[in-house]
Amino acid sequence: MQTEFIILLIMLGSFILFAALRFPISISLIVAAILGALCSGFGFPLARLVEGAFGYLDAIMIIATAMIFMRSIERSGLLKTLANAIARVLHNRPYLLLAFMTLFIMFAGMITGSSTASVLTTGAIAYPVLTQLGLDKKRAGAIIAMSAIFGMIAPPVNIPVMIIGQGVDMPYMGFTYPLLWITIPLAFLTSFLFGGKYIHRIPKESIEKGTGGFLVYAPFILLIVLMLLEELRVLDLGMPLVFLLCALCATVTGKRFDFFKSSVEAIGDSLNILSILVGVGMFIQVMTMTGVRGFVVGSFVSIPQSVLFLTMAVGIPLFGAVSSFGSASVLGVPFLLSFLSGDVIVVTAALSMLAGLGDMVPPTALAGIFAAQVVGEKSYFKIFARSLISVAITIVACVFVVLYSKHVAALPPWLFWVVSGGFLGVLSLIKGKEAPKVV
Amino acid sequence: MKKTCPNPAFLGFLIATAILVAIPGLSYVKQRAPETIIPGPGVTRRGSLSDYLPALKGTSADTPVFYLEGKEPGGTVLLVGGAHPNEPAGFIAPLIVVERGVAQKGRVIVVPYANGSAISHTEPLEGSPASFSLKNKAGETRVFRVGSRLSNPLDQWPDPALYVNEKGQVLSGSEMRNLNRAFPGKADGSITEQIAYAIMEIIRREKADISIDFHEASPEYTTVNAIVAHEKSLELAAEVAMYLEFDDIPITLEQSPKNLNGLSHREWGDYSDTLPFLFEAANPFMGRLRGKTDETLIIEGKDPYYLAAAKAKRLNVPYDEKGLPLSYRVARHITAFRYVLDTYNTYYEEKAIIVTDLPEYEEMAYRNLGDFLN
């Protein structure tokens, strides 16, 4: 048996053991990394471990500041005002409302690149609306978890794509439409699959009024303006500063709140995912040092082309059980190199979607576990079981996108807007069931 | 007055944190100390990069520049190593010229560690050793740092989301710290752009007739075991490639793409009269398929996963049990350099550059590389 395979088993085994013993995922990753280094003759390489911990510093800063922003707009009343405004306008169009609530949940993931952020902010705010639409805990939880994952993969911020891109010198450019094509249809499909049969109209009087006037939306508008300026290369402040400025803006445009306290809370809430990124950095650093990464990558690339799709479809989400970002780094790059005959941007987008699904895979299962918390479901596995069909559909869709990547790349941008607009137009015509009478 | 005793748990936490910060901190500080270069008899003068851009003086980007001046006048060749200091043959080859070479005619200017900032740290997630060592003929150990492809974030950070270089090329944000994407550089730009500008200044002020950039790449990469040449140096490069093939040194020739801006082989040619070349040697230490990442891999270049990949025909270069040792990779670079001079001299006799005392390919490849260092 190859030494690297034994070290891989030690690292994975110790990670699973510590996670099962209810140690935080980040600690389990760090312990696994240390054991991997010790067993392969590197001793206790503190300097290399600390270096690995800094591997995702930029992503950590984006997530931390995005969480501060999300908490600020939650405190200022923006999120609730927006959710209620959508519900009030669409209360008698339940299908259209479900579609918009799906986009609403995705929003936080789209701008933070984190499914956890999405679940804990927009997901938590959307939950009451989903229950008013007639969904039970499990269905609402599954919609929140899966929408959050589609959100973290949807543009503008997709961290797995950035990680894969770093490995092959590919700039984070041209991904907007491939990512929209992959995520938006699947997100709608998932929500209608889970909720389509059960939703009904909502009595307007049961919907709360928003707390603020138009000014409450100012941080959101500022965010869009600053992102557009960055896109047009007029003003490049960097995502962390953009989020912090918009968060500060929220302190004066809605309900007053203690910015320092809410920021501390936001960081506290995100420490789990931030520390996982630190742990993943150390884990991958040791995998690389010890040759385990070479073993994993070598094993995958030496697989015959005929079963490459199967290993990609199963291997990438499964490795996401360690971390979706780790999966993108370790497996995303070699798979991309195996599919260079396709359109690299579309293939990378599909690989990032597969990596994102790792956030549903136990034991880490960040999106699923937090969604269970948000809806008050004790067992995460009930949410996981409910979501499996969507996970399977997404995997199959990604395989097809990789197979037909050049066709996807050829789709004109306007077609996305025509198809999406047409779909939402059709939904707006469907009145749906009456709300059941409360006796 | 009642004395308050600090909480022992808190005190313990502080001490543990101090230890955890100090141990890696000291090793990172050590990484910033330059290694000893022992110039050979051919070196007539030593300067520094800041001579060409005073703004670099006192920064970690300032780096030695060596001049080997012949008694007879002739042309000038610039050798740039260490643009990517995670590519060891890229800086060892020019170092051997500094420590061994003698210019008989014309001048050789050598910048062995072009990106002084990038050599001061290793890349997170790459698991690189901080250094490797070679034994010279006297049995003394020479230690060389292993750096990163990118400038140290302590010198230049944060990265933008996207980097638009001087020529309008759009790249991922971290590429802003990549010297070989920053040419022609900017006198008042980021530290990486300033290094690029200073190197352009050497080419312009010293009127370098030939400029060579030494690199390494992973064996699965597309441009590897290659000479990349600007259109104006393409004919010379074709001859050099032919001579290398005659010597059974596998090589491919690539023309510098006109729309790939920021790279040395493109911008040196566009922004000066020099004839630019870039040499790439295959190095398993660079690639994602590599196994244990340590000093031995850098020096011996033997890796079981690359061997398996070669057998599965997944590599772009020949790879067998002998591996691709550092001595072979450096020998390729030195030989290619010698052929560039030989070929150039046949066309530009009045500006010929003659350098002697450099080891032959057979002397060096698969031998102890330290024997060629002082």
Side-chain angles (χ1 to χ4, degrees), chain A residues 55-273:
Chain A
Y56 296 112
L57 181 63
D58 289 352
I60 285 171
M61 287 189 61
I62 290 173
I63 294 173
T65 51
M67 285 295 283
I68 291 173
F69 169 69
M70 290 308 299
R71 182 53 61 96
S72 298
I73 60 173
E74 185 193 335
R75 289 287 154 85
S76 75
L78 190 160
L79 283 183
K80 200 164 187 182
T81 306
L82 183 61
N84 290 341
I86 296 170
R88 286 181 81 79
V89 172
L90 303 175
H91 68 100
N92 57 3
R93 290 290 183 275
Y95 289 94
L96 193 57
L97 179 54
L98 182 60
F100 272 99
M101 289 323 290
T102 304
L103 292 175
F104 179 77
I105 298 165
M106 288 173 71
F107 166 69
M110 290 162 82
I111 58 166
T112 62
S114 153
S115 62
T116 309
S118 213
V119 170
L120 291 177
T121 54
T122 44
I125 287 163
Y127 177 56
V129 181
L130 295 179
T131 52
Q132 282 179 308
L133 270 170
L135 298 176
D136 63 18
K137 275 190 212 174
K138 280 177 266 179
R139 290 179 188 283
I143 287 175
I144 290 171
M146 289 306 297
S147 301
I149 289 173
F150 291 125
M152 78 178 259
I153 299 305
V157 177
N158 178 319
I159 292 169
V161 163
M162 293 181 194
I163 290 171
I164 297 171
Q166 266 175 0
V168 291
D169 297 339
M170 177 171 55
Y172 185 57
M173 280 180 70
F175 284 94
T176 302
Y177 285 96
L179 289 173
L180 285 175
W181 277 116
I182 290 170
T183 53
I184 302 291
L186 285 168
F188 285 159
L189 179 67
T190 298
S191 293
F192 288 109
L193 197 66
F194 294 158
K197 253 170 75 179
Y198 305 94
I199 54 174
H200 52 66
R201 286 180 239 165
I202 306 175
K204 197 173 184 180
E205 55 281 5
S206 68
I207 303 167
E208 283 180 52
K209 276 193 173 174
T211 50
F214 185 70
L215 195 62
V216 81
Y217 293 106
F220 188 51
I221 295 165
L222 180 64
L223 180 73
I224 292 168
V225 169
L226 290 176
M227 280 182 163
L228 276 176
L229 290 176
E230 189 163 316
E231 191 74 20
L232 297 169
R233 294 183 208 120
V234 176
L235 183 66
D236 186 2
L237 298 176
M239 291 295 280
L241 186 54
V242 166
F243 283 131
L244 281 182
L245 288 175
C246 297
L248 279 170
C249 173
T251 59
V252 292
T253 55
K255 276 195 286 188
R256 296 292 181 265
F257 63 96
D258 183 338
F259 179 70
F260 181 73
K261 199 174 154 196
S262 85
S263 300
V264 170
E265 280 173 14
I267 295 296
D269 285 348
S270 55
L271 267 186
N272 189 32
I273 183 159

Side-chain angles (χ1 to χ4, degrees), chain A residues 10-20 22-37 44 49 53 56 271-287 319-327 330 363-366:
Chain A
I10 291 168
M11 289 178 77
L12 286 180
S14 53
F15 167 70
I16 292 167
L17 176 70
F18 275 76
R22 303 241 165 227
F23 278 87
I25 297 299
S26 50
I27 300 293
S28 308
L29 284 165
I30 293 168
V31 171
I34 292 169
L35 284 175
F44 184 71
L49 288 169
Y56 296 112
L271 267 186
N272 189 32
I273 183 159
L274 300 182
S275 61
I276 286 176
L277 280 173
V278 169
V280 169
M282 289 188 183
F283 193 85
I284 291 174
Q285 175 91 334
V286 171
M287 279 182 81
F319 197 93
V322 176
S323 150
S324 54
F325 300 145
S327 184
V330 174
T364 45
L366 292 172

Side-chain angles (χ1 to χ4, degrees), chain A residues 2 4 40 47-48 50-51 58 61 169 171 173 230 233 236 281 285 288-289 291 293-295 297 301 329 333, chain B residues 20 27-28 122-128 130 149 157 160-162 164 170 172 288-293 305 314:
Chain A
Q2 278 167 297
E4 286 81 6
S40 48
R48 301 293 90 148
V50 172
E51 184 181 90
D58 289 352
M61 287 189 61
D169 297 339
M173 280 180 70
E230 189 163 316
R233 294 183 208 120
D236 186 2
Q285 175 91 334
T288 312
M289 275 167 65
R293 186 179 79 170
F295 169 75
V297 174
V301 297
S329 172
V333 174
Chain B
L20 283 175
S27 82
Y28 302 144
T122 43
E123 195 68 27
L125 309 184
E126 287 303 319
S128 303
R149 177 181 166 84
W157 191 79
L162 294 172
V164 186
V170 182
S172 65
R288 286 195 164 252
L289 292 172
R290 69 180 186 265
K292 197 171 186 177
T293 304
Y305 301 112
R314 300 267 176 170

Side-chain angles (χ1 to χ4, degrees), chain A residues 161 164 168 170-171 173-179 181-182 309 312 332 335-352 398-411:
Chain A
V161 163
I164 297 171
V168 291
M170 177 171 55
M173 280 180 70
F175 284 94
T176 302
Y177 285 96
L179 289 173
W181 277 116
I182 290 170
F309 284 99
M312 171 191 78
F335 274 113
L336 177 61
L337 292 172
S338 301
F339 296 121
L340 281 181
S341 54
D343 183 277
V344 285
I345 289 179
V346 174
V347 171
T348 308
L351 293 174
S352 77
C398 288
V399 170
F400 273 96
V401 169
V402 172
L403 268 171
Y404 297 103
S405 59
K406 287 189 174 164
H407 295 85
V408 176
L411 295 172

Side-chain angles (χ1 to χ4, degrees), chain B residues 8-213:
Chain B
F10 182 65
L11 206 61
F13 171 76
L14 281 183
I15 293 169
T17 307
I19 293 169
L20 283 175
V21 170
I23 294 174
L26 286 173
S27 82
Y28 302 144
V29 169
K30 200 173 146 198
Q31 185 87 2
R32 296 179 86 87
E35 49 273 274
T36 314
I37 299 171
I38 307 166
V43 173
T44 49
R45 191 156 58 94
R46 180 179 169 147
S48 60
L49 195 60
S50 58
D51 298 340
Y52 298 89
L53 182 64
L56 289 175
K57 202 163 190 68
T59 69
S60 65
D62 202 4
T63 187
V65 180
F66 297 92
Y67 301 82
L68 290 77
E69 293 153 316
K71 284 181 183 142
E72 270 189 74
T76 298
V77 57
L78 170 69
L79 306 183
V80 175
H84 293 156
N86 58 333
E87 300 164 10
F91 55 81
I92 295 287
L95 266 182
I96 285 179
V97 176
V98 169
E99 301 204 359
R100 290 288 297 261
V102 177
Q104 305 294 344
K105 184 172 163 60
R107 278 196 307 171
V108 185
I109 303 174
V110 190
V111 189
Y113 295 106
N115 192 341
S117 171
I119 188 92
S120 68
H121 75 126
T122 43
E123 195 68 27
L125 309 184
E126 287 303 319
S128 303
S131 63
F132 65 97
S133 50
L134 299 169
K135 274 209 169 20
N136 65 12
K137 258 189 176 159
E140 296 155 339
T141 302
R142 296 281 304 269
V143 180
F144 300 94
R145 289 174 289 167
V146 179
S148 160
R149 177 181 166 84
L150 306 173
S151 299
N152 194 325
L154 291 178
D155 297 320
Q156 186 182 318
W157 191 79
D159 299 326
L162 294 172
Y163 169 47
V164 186
N165 71 13
E166 266 299 274
K167 292 284 292 285
Q169 185 89 45
V170 182
L171 301 154
S172 65
S174 61
E175 291 296 288
M176 190 169 181
R177 290 184 284 125
N178 183 348
L179 176 57
N180 203 23
R181 298 294 181 276
F183 292 106
K186 242 168 130 178
D188 58 351
S190 67
I191 200 152
T192 313
E193 289 170 329
Q194 287 183 322
I195 298 169
Y197 180 84
I199 289 170
M200 281 303 311
E201 280 295 282
I202 299 180
I203 296 172
R204 286 186 287 242
R205 282 196 222 167
E206 304 296 342
K207 297 188 171 40
D209 300 288
I210 305 167
S211 300
I212 303 174
D213 190 10

